[in-house]
Amino acid sequence: MVVKKLANVGIVVLSFVLFHQTKTAAEVQGARIDSSQQIAETIIESDTPVLVDFWAVWCPPCYKLNPIIEELKEKYSDRILFMKVDVDVHKAIAQYFGVTSIPTVFLIHDKNVIEAIPGVRSKDYYIDRLEALLDKATEDQ
């Protein structure tokens, strides 16, 4: 089920670069992305599914989720792009996605939000959702 199409965004201008070098999920994983514009471009230009973790420095549950996300990143970083978005720094992105509580994890494929997962769940829950996301990505190819 598609929740929200990530195109024609009014809050954050999402622009495509006509001649850009496509990076793999592994190449982007270690890069620091500082602006909301760069975050948006990275999400919409990704050839792989994207997991976006909305968090904040002052959020204790976010720190509880972080080790789970790091373990998932180790397992899936070759097939899924992992991004962390600080809601206090990137308010426009958080507002566009409709983030009302943190942590919230968004699973995105082909510019579409496939699922939003609020709160902290078990590692097995996230693995199940990521496997479903990868299955969908494979079906769409």
Side-chain angles (χ1 to χ4, degrees):
M1 179 173 104
V2 174
V3 178
K4 186 180 271 191
K5 182 78 172 171
L6 299 179
N8 302 323
V9 176
I11 296 170
V12 179
V13 178
L14 302 177
S15 61
F16 288 96
V17 179
L18 292 176
F19 300 102
H20 70 278
Q21 181 179 9
T22 303
K23 295 181 179 177
T24 65
E27 290 172 323
V28 177
Q29 298 293 356
R32 181 174 170 86
I33 299 174
D34 292 321
S35 77
S36 294
Q37 177 71 28
Q38 288 173 312
I39 291 168
E41 287 176 356
T42 300
I43 292 169
I44 64 174
E45 292 176 359
S46 180
D47 291 333
T48 61
V50 182
L51 178 150
V52 183
D53 176 15
F54 286 92
W55 72 289
V57 173
W58 48 263
C59 168
C62 297
Y63 286 98
K64 184 177 178 183
L65 176 61
N66 194 52
I68 295 170
I69 296 295
E70 288 302 315
E71 286 181 44
L72 297 171
K73 187 175 174 180
E74 285 180 28
K75 181 175 181 176
Y76 292 101
S77 65
D78 59 330
R79 298 176 285 161
I80 296 173
L81 173 61
F82 286 76
M83 300 182 73
K84 292 183 76 65
V85 176
D86 184 327
V87 297
D88 292 327
V89 175
H90 301 288
K91 293 176 182 168
I93 293 278
Q95 183 179 9
Y96 175 74
F97 276 88
V99 175
T100 57
S101 66
I102 53 174
T104 298
V105 171
F106 281 82
L107 303 179
I108 301 166
H109 169 60
D110 195 26
K111 302 177 192 135
N112 293 299
V113 173
I114 305 302
E115 185 172 359
I117 308 167
V120 179
R121 311 284 176 98
S122 70
K123 183 171 101 173
D124 289 338
Y125 180 86
Y126 292 105
I127 289 172
D128 179 59
R129 303 317 309 141
L130 292 179
E131 290 295 333
L133 179 65
L134 290 170
D135 289 346
K136 177 164 181 37
T138 301
E139 288 172 9
D140 291 347
Q141 287 182 348

